[in-house]
Amino acid sequence: MLSLDFLDDVRRMNKRQLYYQVLNFGMIVSSALMIWKGLMVITGSESPIVVVLSGSMEPAFHRGDLLFLTNRVEDPIRVGEIVVFRIEGREIPIVHRVLKIHEKQNGHIKFLTKGDNNAVDDRGLYKQGQHWLEKKDVVGRARGFYQENRSVENRNFLFLILEL
């Protein structure tokens, strides 16, 4: 059994080796956290990388694809753009395309989204009484993606596109 073998290895280590292993593990975890926080600052998004969880955006994106997000305040939201948004009362963000934009005279923008593979817009997903999303709902906007090649001949080829 794996867990018993691991415990046997730990018991055989002297204190210095054990401290070294714990220190290495701590450095790996802290490095990953620093990289994540750095990406958050650079992209302006609370979640700079997200995983597509459903088939609602097929054929553009499939389950398991990674999206690279930015959320710069100065960039206007445009029709056709892919946004990741959070709805009040739901923990998991949604990846969909902007379908319509409604701009008021004061410059305040609201927009409607829809999954490429869905028959209707997302008004049924929004909280009750909400018909449009606002900029505050956006986690980020897709600027690139990473997906495995889905061809049968070449399953190990990886695909990455970034739009800067």
Side-chain angles (χ1 to χ4, degrees):
M1 291 195 298
L2 181 65
S3 61
L4 293 178
D5 292 340
F6 171 74
L7 291 175
D8 288 340
D9 291 340
V10 170
R11 284 189 196 119
R12 280 190 240 126
M13 288 183 190
N14 63 36
K15 282 185 180 181
R16 178 173 281 177
Q17 289 173 320
L18 183 61
Y19 290 144
Y20 181 73
Q21 292 297 324
V22 170
L23 184 62
N24 274 339
F25 180 73
M27 289 177 63
I28 290 169
V29 169
S30 64
S31 294
L33 287 172
M34 285 189 294
I35 290 170
W36 186 257
K37 290 292 186 182
L39 284 172
M40 288 173 67
V41 170
I42 291 168
T43 63
S45 176
E46 68 185 64
S47 186
I49 301 171
V50 295
V51 178
V52 176
L53 296 177
S54 74
S56 67
M57 283 300 291
E58 290 180 2
F61 302 114
H62 298 268
R63 288 184 185 124
D65 290 351
L66 296 177
L67 297 181
F68 300 97
L69 309 178
T70 62
N71 198 16
R72 296 187 184 100
V73 177
E74 64 275 1
D75 293 342
I77 292 176
R78 297 179 298 262
V79 170
E81 190 171 31
I82 296 166
V83 295
V84 178
F85 59 92
R86 193 177 307 268
I87 297 172
E88 193 176 311
R90 293 186 183 208
E91 269 187 50
I92 299 173
I94 298 170
V95 178
H96 281 174
R97 191 177 305 273
V98 175
L99 185 64
K100 293 179 185 175
I101 292 180
H102 178 72
E103 186 171 358
K104 293 185 178 179
Q105 288 181 338
N106 65 1
H108 187 73
I109 294 176
K110 293 184 176 186
F111 56 95
L112 179 65
T113 56
K114 177 184 173 295
D116 291 355
N117 202 22
N118 294 349
V120 296
D121 62 42
D122 290 342
R123 287 184 176 144
L125 295 175
Y126 303 160
K127 71 178 182 178
Q128 190 170 1
Q130 181 180 9
H131 301 290
W132 300 86
L133 292 174
E134 298 178 25
K135 188 101 169 174
K136 67 176 178 59
D137 300 314
V138 176
V139 173
R141 298 178 310 177
R143 295 292 184 227
F145 65 93
Y146 172 85
Q147 63 184 190
E148 291 183 335
N149 185 357
R150 290 176 175 66
S151 71
V152 177
E153 300 85 33
N154 190 3
R155 290 186 181 256
N156 295 325
F157 180 72
L158 301 174
F159 193 57
L160 172 67
I161 292 181
L162 287 175
E163 173 195 317
L164 299 173

